[in-house]
Amino acid sequence: YEKLKDVIPDEFVTLLPVKPGYNHKFAEVTAENNLQAKCAKALIESIKNKEGLDMMLGSLDPLPDGAIDGRELDPVYPEAKLEVVIQTILRVGCKSISHISVALNRFRDLIMAVMPNQDAKVCCLKITFSFFKTNHQLMCIMIEKYLNFQLIEPSCIVSWIFSPYMLPHFDRLYLWQMLDTTIKFCIKRCDRIKVELEKSKQKLSDKKEQEAGAPDPDIAEKRKQLVQAAEEEVDHYVKLLEDAERSQKEVFLIVVQRFIMILTDHIVRSEQESRYTQTLWFRCTRDRLRQTLVKYRREVKRYMVTLQTLLFTPEIEPKILECFTQFKGYIA
């Protein structure tokens, strides 16, 4: 950023984005965050003293187990505690990408203790985005870290991306980079498990051949045990693949469903308020739907029947249905 700023002529400096950084909510104590700031300070001290999980959670006891502002949450999760934990861990690890990785790995149990359900995980993403609101590159990296450390499921990330909180960012590239990261994670996970499954099947085949050629009963018994272990390994990877493919299908269906929902909502509200429908935001979002279908056509083709039966029905807006009709023509 500094190098770019040095070479840009003075008359263009005002076009530069805000300097990348982070926004630590509890850096300053205010009347609104007084209790959370005190708990954040206590948590940092607990971390410095290398105390255990129980002690770190104990530093959060003064905070309520529900929402920050006292509203009802369904399902319930400790929003106030979650914000302190995520803000503090990100503050500890924000020096570099490697520091962030170390912090997430070290405090994984602490994070999971205050993030018990999907709503809490969506809230975690919202807190993280607020922390890195001027550093979108690091936010994209955080999405990858959350996935790799199995802290947040892909479906939660998709739900957050398409939440009302993120709609104003739909014309920004970083948002779609995060969506691509999430979808690619699902695809690569399935591909990786398929490779391991094929290796396991080949291993099982080899073990069975060795069992058939055993020269005496003792060796045959030992090789039979090896075959059983190989069969269990194959069953393990089959189950992993089924779970991964189910998760991948869920992600694609949620993505398409949310696209349809937000585009439909925009059209309906625009018509009710007599506003122009084909805004830049609408065109960008609709084209992102087209791009997603085409970019991941190999995977989308597997779900065509489900998409046509449940989502792209004749009842939806023609401007949205047109995207699917064009896609069907493209892959025909």
Side-chain angles (χ1 to χ4, degrees):
Y1 179 88
E2 294 297 336
K3 290 181 180 178
L4 185 62
K5 185 177 179 180
D6 290 340
V7 299
I8 286 182
D10 293 340
E11 56 267 30
F12 294 113
V13 169
T14 55
L15 299 177
L16 280 173
V18 178
K19 183 178 179 179
Y22 57 85
N23 175 40
H24 186 216
K25 182 177 179 179
F26 309 120
E28 297 181 1
V29 180
T30 65
E32 290 78 13
N33 71 6
N34 182 44
L35 183 57
Q36 282 184 295
K38 288 181 179 179
C39 290
K41 184 177 179 181
L43 180 58
I44 289 176
E45 289 299 319
S46 182
I47 290 172
K48 288 180 179 178
N49 296 331
K50 299 182 180 180
E51 296 176 345
L53 176 61
D54 291 340
M55 295 295 291
M56 287 189 286
L57 288 173
S59 65
L60 305 174
D61 284 345
L63 296 171
D65 288 325
I68 296 173
D69 55 7
R71 69 187 188 282
E72 291 187 6
L73 296 175
D74 185 22
V76 177
Y77 63 90
E79 183 182 23
K81 294 180 180 180
L82 177 61
E83 185 171 35
V84 169
V85 168
I86 298 301
Q87 284 270 343
T88 301
I89 290 175
L90 293 179
R91 177 64 186 88
V92 169
C94 68
K95 294 180 182 179
S96 67
I97 296 173
S98 59
H99 279 81
I100 290 175
S101 297
V102 171
L104 291 177
N105 185 49
R106 180 182 173 188
F107 302 114
R108 187 180 189 280
D109 291 342
L110 175 62
I111 296 172
M112 296 306 294
V114 293
M115 200 167 59
N117 51 51
Q118 288 199 350
D119 285 5
K121 292 174 182 180
V122 172
C123 182
C124 172
L125 291 166
K126 185 177 178 180
I127 295 166
T128 306
F129 186 75
S130 175
F131 188 88
F132 290 117
K133 66 180 182 180
T134 59
N135 196 330
H136 301 125
Q137 183 181 18
L138 265 180
M139 184 63 210
C140 293
I141 293 172
M142 284 302 303
I143 294 295
E144 187 175 350
K145 297 297 181 185
Y146 282 142
L147 289 168
N148 290 336
F149 282 102
Q150 298 181 9
L151 288 165
I152 299 179
E153 294 82 12
S155 58
C156 293
I157 295 175
V158 172
S159 296
W160 168 72
I161 288 174
F162 286 93
S163 65
Y165 177 77
M166 297 301 295
L167 291 184
H169 303 272
F170 265 45
D171 56 353
R172 297 290 183 265
L173 179 61
Y174 55 80
L175 187 84
W176 305 109
Q177 288 176 332
M178 291 188 282
L179 181 62
D180 278 342
T181 297
T182 305
I183 294 175
K184 287 177 181 177
F185 173 85
C186 295
I187 295 172
K188 289 179 180 178
R189 179 173 60 182
C190 287
D191 291 343
R192 185 172 62 250
I193 296 174
K194 286 177 183 176
V195 171
E196 295 299 327
L197 177 59
E198 289 303 315
K199 289 181 180 179
S200 297
K201 287 181 177 179
Q202 183 60 47
K203 182 180 176 180
L204 175 60
S205 177
D206 294 342
K207 295 297 181 184
K208 286 183 176 179
E209 289 180 5
Q210 292 173 5
E211 181 189 16
D216 58 66
D218 291 339
I219 295 177
E221 181 62 28
K222 291 180 180 179
R223 291 183 178 178
K224 182 179 179 180
Q225 294 175 358
L226 293 175
V227 168
Q228 290 176 346
E231 288 175 342
E232 290 176 359
E233 184 176 306
V234 169
D235 291 340
H236 170 70
Y237 282 115
V238 167
K239 186 177 184 305
L240 282 181
L241 183 59
E242 289 175 351
D243 292 342
E245 288 182 337
R246 183 164 50 251
S247 174
Q248 178 177 295
K249 181 178 181 179
E250 179 186 10
V251 165
F252 272 101
L253 293 180
I254 292 174
V255 167
V256 175
Q257 180 192 46
R258 296 301 173 90
F259 265 120
I260 293 173
M261 287 173 61
I262 63 173
L263 289 170
T264 302
D265 182 64
H266 171 84
I267 293 172
V268 171
R269 284 190 293 106
S270 297
E271 290 177 351
Q272 288 176 347
E273 299 171 7
S274 301
R275 290 189 287 108
Y276 181 58
T277 303
Q278 302 284 331
T279 61
L280 176 62
W281 181 93
F282 176 83
R283 296 198 305 272
C284 286
T285 304
R286 185 182 58 184
D287 287 346
R288 288 295 180 182
L289 170 59
R290 287 194 179 106
Q291 181 190 39
T292 302
L293 293 174
V294 173
K295 187 173 184 178
Y296 301 106
R297 57 190 175 276
R298 187 191 71 173
E299 289 74 28
V300 174
K301 284 173 69 174
R302 297 164 56 187
Y303 316 131
M304 287 295 288
V305 174
T306 306
L307 290 174
Q308 192 158 359
T309 304
L310 299 180
L311 299 177
F312 288 105
T313 59
E315 291 76 22
I316 71 170
E317 289 287 339
K319 297 183 182 68
I320 305 172
L321 186 60
E322 179 187 11
C323 297
F324 188 63
T325 303
Q326 292 173 345
F327 174 70
K328 288 194 295 182
Y330 176 77
I331 62 174

